[in-house]
DNA sequence: AATCTCACG
DNA sequence: ACGTACGTGAGATTA
């Protein structure tokens, strides 16, 4: 069989991959989706075709002859999005690292290179396969030149294959006639003018009949329809030019050595480095050559003998240890570049193993770990020593990641790729990574001015959160059950009524079924559509409720169903044997620096609606204790007032004036005393909107007013408080210039969206830049307050305990005789956590359950 | 696994 | 001409 050569149209495949895949980035924020898609399709095609030679052709960035021609007609092309542009040079480097020849030539487009190579190779008796995303290349098809075009439909990629006869079958014309068809119909994306009024159908018919533009012109009088006949006669010049533009040059002059394109092993060491950097983890196993000699693992040991464990522990040097513990696996300790693991196995049970772990942690010295809070849960692990939590440092340096793993830290900060399957060695790697990453992370924290934030806020907070998780909150299981039963009754009742009124039994929890019943069957006017069907969101249904009583019942059903599934039933599952719920507070989740709460989420317990709010009655203190609840009054607006330096706002807060009323008076130009309820409510919404990064659309949606009115509110607001406008604009400017914004305590929030070519994403980035410093500073202040409140309670030897944080609120289970002292501590440390231009104020509530206390 | 909906600050 | 308020987590349905 003749040798086969595969020719790839680089830009068109890269383009397809870019638009066909969701945005992917490596840890450094570099986009990788186009390269990934290209490599995937490249591997698939090599697998299918098994070519002996391979070449990828790219356009050069300089304008080519044909580009110059279009410019006279259509101006410039749409620019390539930045997210794709940055991938092009790297794509070429990756191909070169894989030993694949890349051809690009000034003055030639990739099409011309491929056309010429296809012609030369098939003359040299080679089989030729062309891979392109562009069907223009079909003009190159012959009996021995095959064109492959990937097509994506319904998420499935299939590759269509065309020899000359397949082109004829599908398009009714031969490959060379295909040029004339395209020339007649034109192609706006390629800036080929074509003949006005001639589309695909007409063009195909003309060429199928006359074989070429020239022959059609010779018979122009007979050409049908008359419109085309006329155009051919009058604008033949346009047709000729179009044909020139549409024709791929197959006789271009450029050097090419076939032997240089020989396809060898593409999984080279050089390529491995690129794949690591791009984080194509699933492709790494394809590399069979041991790419990088990894001698770190040589320093790892697995110890099972108890005597040896003793010896290893005794031999630890006292400086800085890395420690790791994995449930059901064991623990590992790293010391000065070495590491050993003590696995859990028969006969080493957890009971026997834990004391060794605690013994190791009780040695003098400093300790690094990936999740210190988790380690503190083990009985006997000392807290009063120097801990360094690597996950927190990694989070501060980039708070946008979905999860934090020590493998990612090793790759990003130590340039070490860990591809280890053995669980015990993996544990050694973790211990090794955390001990070795400490210094570099400290250095980076210092460089970003976040070392103080780390040392005085994030790291100490670990202990506060662990105290809170250990304390848990008592829940009255019996009352919770009764509450659930009551909801179940209501749900049953409403369900029956909804079925009766719609005349059908369906799953009310299914938005799909509900949409069909409401909008198709009953013909109610539908509002927004989602990508899968009608929207049945509360906002849409509320607009219909006054006119259609059944919709109100659906809304009520939804409310009850939510309360039952998420809260009544949901919370019951988390009540422990001590009658308390011990949730988890997460410190490395949010982009802004807030903490989050999971398993269960205790930060979204209902309060806004009375029926939901009742559930707070099941959260109760121990006998002899009382709840003391403290929340910051308008902390975000106060931070905004501080940042803006606006004298009116600052003095209003100093005088404890009603800020929403003041805003209403200014924005609506009425005397302070004459502000109506509605005006105050609207002004409050504007104040909220400002904190979120105001947009006229968002505000109009929230207030059910027109965009124009919302725009006027906003303009009046900025006129009233010019300092706020200046501050918000400044944040957006800073984010554009630096790529991030910061809080009062130097916490960073990167804003990569501002670089996007997508308008919506960019607008989102602007709102983020305005909101993050405010929300983040509030989070910082609350964290500082929590640490201080918790410490003050403990150092005063009180029995009272901090239980929950809900962003601007702290809940304390206070021993009854300590209530006054606790209130004093809360005032002291929450209101004085930081000194701003405006006072910080808290409101305190007291009660025998959370409902009463708030 | 993705989508929709809805609970909170 | 476009389309969203900022930040979260959980349950139910559907693909």
């Amino acid at each position: 069989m003749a040798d086969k050569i595969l020719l790839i149209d680089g830009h068109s495949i890269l383009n397809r991959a870019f638009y066909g895949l969701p945005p992917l980035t490596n840890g450094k924020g570099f986009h990788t989706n186009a390269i990934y898609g290209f490599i995937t399709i490249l591997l698939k095609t090599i697998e299918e075709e098994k070519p002996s030679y391979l070449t990828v052709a790219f356009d050069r960035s300089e304008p080519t002859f044909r580009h110059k021609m279009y410019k006279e007609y259509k101006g410039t092309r749409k620019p390539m999005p930045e997210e794709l542009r940055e991938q092009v040079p790297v794509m070429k480097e990756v191909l070169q690292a894989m030993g694949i020849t890349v051809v690009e030539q000034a003055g030639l487009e990739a099409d011309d290179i491929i056309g010429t190579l296809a012609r030369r190779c098939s003359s040299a008796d080679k089989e030729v396969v062309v891979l392109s995303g562009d069907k223009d290349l079909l003009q190159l098809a012959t009996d021995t030149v095959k064109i492959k075009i990937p097509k994506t439909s319904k998420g499935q990629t299939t590759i269509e294959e065309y020899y000359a006869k397949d082109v004829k079958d599908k398009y009714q014309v031969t490959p060379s006639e295909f040029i004339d068809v395209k020339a007649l119909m034109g192609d706006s994306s390629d800036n080929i003018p074509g003949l006005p009024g001639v589309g695909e159908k007409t063009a195909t018919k003309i060429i199928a009949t006359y074989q070429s533009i020239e022959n059609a012109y010779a018979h122009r009088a007979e050409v049908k329809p008359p419109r085309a006949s006329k155009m051919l006669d009058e604008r033949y010049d346009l047709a000729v030019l179009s044909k020139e533009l549409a024709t791929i040059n197959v006789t271009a002059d450029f050097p090419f050595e076939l032997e240089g394109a020989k396809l060898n092993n593409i999984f080279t060491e050089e390529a491995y480095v690129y794949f690591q950097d791009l984080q194509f983890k699933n492709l790494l196993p394809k590399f069979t050559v041991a790419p990088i000699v990894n001698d770190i693992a040589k320093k790892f040991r697995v110890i099972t003998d108890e005597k040896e464990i003793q010896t290893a522990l005794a031999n630890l040097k006292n400086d800085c240890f890395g420690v790791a513990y994995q449930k059901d696996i064991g623990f590992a300790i790293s010391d000065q570049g070495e590491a050993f693991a003590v696995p859990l196995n028969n006969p080493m049970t957890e009971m026997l193993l834990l004391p060794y772990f605690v013994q190791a942690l009780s040695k003098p010295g400093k300790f690094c770990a990936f999740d210190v809070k988790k380690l503190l849960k083990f009985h006997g692990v000392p807290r009063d020593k120097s801990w360094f939590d690597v996950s927190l440092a990694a989070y501060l340096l980039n708070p946008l990641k979905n999860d934090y793993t020590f493998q990612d830290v090793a790759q990003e900060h130590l340039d070490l790729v860990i591809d280890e399957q053995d669980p015990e060695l993996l544990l050694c790697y973790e211990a090794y990574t955390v001990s070795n990453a400490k210094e570099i992370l400290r250095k980076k924290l210092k460089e970003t001015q976040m070392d103080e934030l780390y040392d005085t806020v994030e790291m100490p907070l670990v202990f506060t959160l662990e105290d809170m998780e250990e304390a848990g909150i008592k829940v009255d299981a019996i009352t919770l059950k009764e509450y659930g039963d009551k909801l179940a009754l209501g749900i049953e009742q409403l369900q029956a009524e909804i079925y009766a009124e719609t005349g059908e039994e369906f799953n009310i929890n299914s938005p799909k079924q509900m949409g069909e019943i409401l909008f198709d069957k009953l013909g109610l006017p539908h509002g927004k559509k989602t990508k899968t069907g009608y929207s049945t969101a509360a906002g849409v249904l509320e607009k219909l409720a006054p006119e259609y009583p059944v919709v109100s019942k659906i809304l009520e059903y939804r409310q009850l169903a939510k309360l039952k599934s998420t809260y009544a039933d949901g919370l019951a599952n988390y009540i422990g044997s001590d009658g308390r719920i011990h949730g988890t507070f997460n410190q490395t989740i949010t982009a802004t620096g807030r903490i989050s709460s999971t398993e269960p989420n205790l930060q979204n317990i209902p309060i806004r609606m009375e029926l939901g709010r009742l559930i707070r009655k099941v959260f109760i203190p121990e006998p002899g204790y009382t709840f003391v609840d403290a929340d910051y009054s308008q902390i975000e607006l106060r931070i905004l007032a501080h940042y803006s330096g606006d004298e009116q706002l600052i003095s209003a807060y100093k005088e404890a004036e009603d800020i929403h009323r003041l805003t209403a008076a200014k924005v609506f130009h009425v005397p302070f005393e004459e502000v109506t309820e509605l005006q105050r409510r609207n002004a409050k919404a504007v104040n909220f909107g400002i904190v979120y990064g105001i947009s006229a659309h968002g505000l109009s949606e929230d207030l059910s007013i027109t965009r124009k009115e919302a725009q006027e509110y906003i303009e009046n607001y900025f006129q009233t408080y010019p300092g706020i406008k200046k501050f918000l604009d400044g944040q957006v400017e800073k984010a554009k210039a630096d790529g991030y914004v910061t809080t009062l305590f130097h916490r960073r929030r990167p804003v990569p969206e501002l670089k996007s070519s997508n308008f919506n994403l960019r607008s989102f980035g602007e709102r983020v830049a305005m909101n993050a410093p405010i929300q983040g500073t509030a989070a910082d202040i609350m964290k500082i307050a929590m640490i201080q409140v918790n410490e003050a309670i403990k150092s005063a030897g009180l029995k009272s305990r901090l239980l929950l944080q809900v962003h601007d609120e702290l809940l304390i289970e206070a021993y009854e005789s300590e209530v006054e002292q606790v209130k004093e501590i809360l005032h002291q440390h929450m209101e004085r956590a930081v000194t701003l231009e405006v006072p910080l104020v808290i409101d305190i509530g007291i009660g025998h359950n959370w409902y009463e206390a708030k």
Side-chain angles (χ1 to χ4, degrees):
Chain A
M1 197 169 84
D3 281 340
K4 194 189 273 187
I5 181 163
L6 174 59
L7 302 171
I8 298 181
D9 181 355
H11 269 127
S12 92
I13 295 295
L14 206 54
N15 244 294
R16 273 191 49 86
F18 177 75
Y19 289 106
L21 289 174
L24 299 169
T25 55
N26 67 1
K28 295 163 190 158
F30 180 79
H31 290 83
T32 59
N33 60 336
I35 300 175
Y36 182 79
F38 189 110
I39 297 288
T40 310
I41 199 157
L42 170 68
L43 295 180
K44 190 176 172 196
T45 310
I46 290 176
E47 178 68 21
E48 283 174 5
E49 300 291 339
K50 303 199 176 13
S52 315
Y53 303 91
L54 171 60
T55 289
V56 181
F58 280 95
D59 300 326
R60 282 294 282 265
S61 43
E62 298 94 78
T64 62
F65 165 70
R66 282 200 277 157
H67 277 112
K68 279 182 195 153
M69 296 294 285
Y70 327 139
K71 278 193 177 168
E72 287 169 25
Y73 278 87
K74 295 268 185 174
T76 49
R77 278 186 173 186
K78 250 192 172 176
M80 195 186 275
E82 184 52 37
E83 294 90 329
L84 175 56
R85 183 189 304 280
E86 67 181 14
Q87 298 185 59
V88 175
V90 178
M91 181 76 246
K92 292 175 191 170
E93 288 174 33
V94 171
L95 289 170
Q96 267 146 9
M98 294 169 87
I100 294 170
T101 52
V102 171
V103 182
E104 42 184 352
Q105 187 75 30
L108 287 180
E109 286 192 50
D111 289 359
D112 301 325
I113 294 169
I114 288 177
T116 301
L117 290 181
R119 174 66 65 89
R120 285 191 206 168
C121 292
S122 63
S123 307
D125 235 13
K126 304 280 185 253
E127 254 188 274
V128 176
V129 178
V130 172
L131 177 68
S132 175
D134 185 348
K135 72 175 188 180
D136 292 352
L137 279 279
L138 290 177
Q139 62 183 269
L140 300 176
T142 69
D143 293 344
T144 55
V145 176
K146 177 166 76 175
I147 315 295
K148 296 182 80 138
I149 301 183
K151 282 265 154 68
T152 309
S153 65
K154 297 164 204 156
Q156 278 295 306
T157 301
T158 52
I159 302 185
E160 294 179 347
E161 304 195 339
Y162 297 90
Y163 285 106
K165 77 172 187 25
D166 304 306
V167 177
K168 178 101 190 177
D169 287 350
K170 181 138 185 201
Y171 295 99
Q172 291 92 47
V173 293
T174 66
S176 71
E177 291 165 1
F178 195 81
I179 303 170
D180 298 68
V181 172
K182 177 158 168 163
L184 283 182
M185 63 190 264
D187 183 338
S188 63
S189 73
D190 257 353
N191 290 331
I192 293 174
L195 280 185
V198 175
E200 187 179 351
K201 286 270 157 54
T202 313
T204 303
K205 210 156 138 198
I206 293 171
I207 297 303
T209 313
Y210 301 100
Q211 288 78 47
S212 72
I213 287 177
E214 292 78 7
N215 192 39
Y217 181 70
H219 298 83
R220 59 189 177 280
E222 333 157 358
V223 167
K224 281 182 200 158
R227 170 168 43 95
S229 168
K230 186 158 169 278
M231 286 317 302
L232 206 51
D233 187 37
E234 290 173 7
R235 300 305 313 270
Y236 183 58
D237 61 319
L238 211 48
V240 171
L241 173 68
S242 293
K243 182 163 177 176
E244 192 181 349
L245 293 176
T247 306
I248 292 173
N249 182 359
V250 295
T251 57
D253 184 23
F254 61 90
F256 178 76
E257 281 296 330
L258 184 63
E259 281 317 302
K262 187 106 188 146
L263 181 58
N264 298 311
N265 175 30
I266 52 175
F267 297 109
T268 62
E269 290 187 20
E270 293 85 344
Y272 190 88
V273 175
Y274 273 101
F275 281 34
Q276 275 182 354
D277 199 46
L278 295 164
Q279 297 185 356
F280 297 161
K281 289 181 191 154
N282 57 334
L283 298 178
L284 291 181
K286 293 190 185 289
F287 289 81
T288 47
V289 287
I292 290 164
V293 183
N294 183 347
D295 55 8
I296 291 169
K298 288 181 194 155
K299 297 179 180 170
F300 293 167
R301 292 180 297 152
V302 176
I303 311 179
T304 49
D305 180 77
E306 297 210 29
K307 278 230 171 61
E308 279 186 56
I309 298 171
Q310 288 289 9
T311 315
L313 291 180
N315 286 342
L316 288 172
K317 311 275 185 297
N318 346 331
D319 58 348
C320 181
F321 306 111
V323 299
Y325 189 101
Q326 176 76 51
K327 195 178 173 328
D328 299 329
I329 302 295
F331 70 86
I333 312 265
S334 170
D335 181 18
Q336 298 187 336
E338 300 183 3
F340 64 86
V342 180
L344 204 58
N345 55 26
N346 190 17
M348 179 60 84
T349 62
E350 193 168 37
M351 275 261 282
L352 292 169
L353 179 123
L354 266 178
Y356 287 120
F357 187 51
V358 172
Q359 186 190 331
L361 296 182
S362 303
K363 290 186 86 74
K366 299 175 177 181
F367 289 84
C368 306
F370 199 75
D371 181 352
V372 171
K373 176 151 66 69
K374 200 178 254 170
L375 297 185
L376 295 177
K377 311 249 177 225
F378 294 116
H379 182 72
V381 174
R383 314 161 55 117
D384 56 340
K385 59 168 51 198
S386 170
W387 281 102
F388 186 89
D389 192 320
V390 167
S391 72
L392 294 181
Y395 166 69
L396 284 185
L397 291 169
N398 175 13
L400 298 188
K401 297 176 70 130
N402 285 324
D403 59 347
Y404 294 83
T405 64
F406 79 87
Q407 288 96 332
D408 285 347
V409 169
Q411 174 155 357
E412 267 185 65
H413 301 283
L414 300 177
D415 275 326
L416 168 67
V417 173
I418 296 170
D419 184 24
E420 177 61 62
Q421 301 301 314
D422 180 76
E424 289 144 22
L425 288 180
L426 200 60
L427 212 53
C428 287
Y429 268 111
E430 180 175 343
Y432 173 91
T433 300
V434 294
S435 75
N436 282 60
K438 178 181 170 180
E439 285 315 315
I440 181 91
L441 290 170
R442 284 218 79 93
K443 182 164 159 261
K444 290 181 182 180
L445 287 171
K446 181 127 190 148
E447 283 166 3
T448 53
Q449 298 179 302
M450 289 193 288
D451 48 333
E452 194 182 342
L453 178 68
Y454 180 88
D455 289 327
T456 64
V457 180
E458 296 299 339
M459 195 59 232
L461 186 68
V462 170
F463 302 97
T464 311
L465 295 178
E466 160 49 23
D467 284 340
M468 293 161 65
E469 291 178 6
E470 195 192 332
I473 183 165
K474 190 177 172 78
V475 168
D476 178 353
I478 295 168
T479 311
L480 182 60
K481 175 81 169 61
E482 287 168 3
Y483 180 76
D485 291 344
K486 203 175 83 185
L487 291 171
L489 276 179
I491 288 169
E492 217 175 312
Q493 173 79 31
L494 283 163
Q495 179 181 294
E497 291 174 18
I498 291 165
Y499 289 165
E501 289 179 40
T502 56
E504 192 161 344
E505 296 201 359
F506 64 102
N507 189 342
I508 309 172
N509 290 319
S510 161
K512 183 166 176 269
Q513 293 181 35
M514 191 197 296
E516 282 162 12
I517 299 280
L518 289 183
F519 304 119
D520 288 337
K521 182 180 171 190
L522 300 178
L524 269 55
H526 61 266
K528 289 179 284 191
K529 277 169 289 176
T530 63
K531 62 186 85 163
T532 50
Y534 303 110
S535 169
T536 67
V540 175
L541 298 189
E542 271 157 21
K543 292 193 180 98
L544 297 169
E547 212 170 326
Y548 305 95
V550 68
V551 176
S552 304
K553 294 213 166 107
I554 288 173
L555 282 166
E556 203 184 338
Y557 173 95
R558 279 246 183 100
Q559 196 192 357
L560 267 56
K562 173 88 178 180
L563 291 173
K564 176 147 168 57
S565 68
T566 306
Y567 299 102
D569 300 348
L571 288 175
N573 288 326
Y574 289 99
I575 301 175
S577 51
D578 56 355
R580 300 175 77 92
I581 291 180
H582 301 269
T584 303
F585 289 105
N586 311 291
Q587 213 178 335
T588 60
I589 299 290
T590 71
T592 53
R594 280 185 173 182
I595 57 176
S596 93
S597 164
T598 50
E599 294 183 312
N601 182 354
L602 294 169
Q603 292 180 322
N604 72 344
I605 303 301
I607 191 167
R608 294 174 189 168
M609 305 288 272
E610 182 57 24
L611 181 62
R613 189 175 197 152
L614 290 171
I615 204 164
R616 292 182 171 233
K617 292 192 173 177
V618 309
F619 291 88
I620 53 174
E622 286 290 341
Y625 288 74
T626 304
F627 276 160
V628 177
D629 184 290
D631 71 296
Y632 278 113
S633 160
Q634 299 175 346
I635 186 168
E636 291 184 339
L637 274 182
R638 287 173 197 263
I639 289 165
L640 184 62
H642 167 87
Y643 269 134
S644 73
D646 187 286
E647 281 307 324
Q648 287 186 78
L649 219 42
I650 291 171
S651 75
Y653 270 121
K654 282 183 177 161
E655 304 299 320
E657 284 179 51
D658 179 340
I659 224 71
H660 299 316
R661 177 174 283 269
L662 176 74
T663 303
K666 302 267 179 203
V667 169
F668 302 119
H669 306 114
V670 292
F672 187 84
E673 292 74 20
E674 291 171 28
V675 171
T676 65
E677 253 329 289
L678 179 67
Q679 285 170 328
R680 185 181 181 281
R681 205 164 54 239
N682 287 352
K684 187 174 173 181
V686 179
N687 277 328
F688 266 98
I690 294 292
V691 170
Y692 292 155
I694 195 101
S695 76
H697 182 270
L699 183 65
S700 70
E701 195 72 15
D702 191 56
L703 288 178
S704 307
I705 56 177
T706 65
R707 262 186 61 153
K708 191 155 170 282
E709 287 170 311
Q711 189 59 49
E712 281 172 24
Y713 285 15
I714 294 168
E715 277 163 22
N716 283 346
Y717 187 95
F718 284 144
Q719 238 164 35
T720 307
Y721 304 122
I724 290 186
K725 168 116 176 93
K726 198 166 161 229
F727 166 72
L728 295 176
D729 288 348
Q731 293 306 306
V732 173
E733 284 310 306
K734 178 184 158 43
K736 281 181 180 160
D738 303 342
Y740 62 89
V741 287
T742 54
T743 67
L744 207 50
F745 300 88
H746 305 144
R747 182 189 304 278
R748 287 191 183 196
R749 159 64 143 116
V751 195
E753 294 87 353
L754 285 174
K755 289 203 190 77
S756 169
S757 55
N758 178 313
F759 174 84
N760 291 327
L761 261 182
R762 229 170 33 242
S763 306
F764 174 69
E766 291 173 2
R767 296 196 295 273
V768 162
M770 295 187 254
N771 171 265
I774 303 171
Q775 189 182 124
T777 298
D780 294 345
I781 293 173
M782 180 50 115
K783 283 176 167 177
I784 293 166
M786 289 168 72
I787 295 165
Q788 294 183 358
V789 165
N790 192 49
E791 275 312 304
I793 290 172
K794 292 207 305 190
S795 62
L798 304 187
K799 292 181 172 175
S800 306
R801 292 185 295 188
L802 176 59
L803 304 187
L804 300 181
Q805 185 253 43
V806 192
H807 309 307
D808 66 351
E809 169 192 2
L810 292 180
L811 182 66
I812 287 178
E813 185 174 43
Y815 196 57
E816 273 170 12
S817 62
E818 296 169 1
V819 167
E820 284 311 312
Q821 222 176 328
V822 165
K823 283 166 71 173
E824 187 50 41
I825 286 171
L826 287 168
H827 277 294
Q828 177 70 23
H829 293 104
M830 289 179 77
E831 293 178 341
R832 301 196 192 293
V834 55
T835 307
L836 302 179
E837 293 294 322
V838 296
L840 285 176
V841 171
I842 60 168
D843 297 318
I844 291 185
I846 294 203
H848 285 94
N849 55 57
W850 200 5
Y851 180 96
E852 288 176 10
K854 176 85 180 148

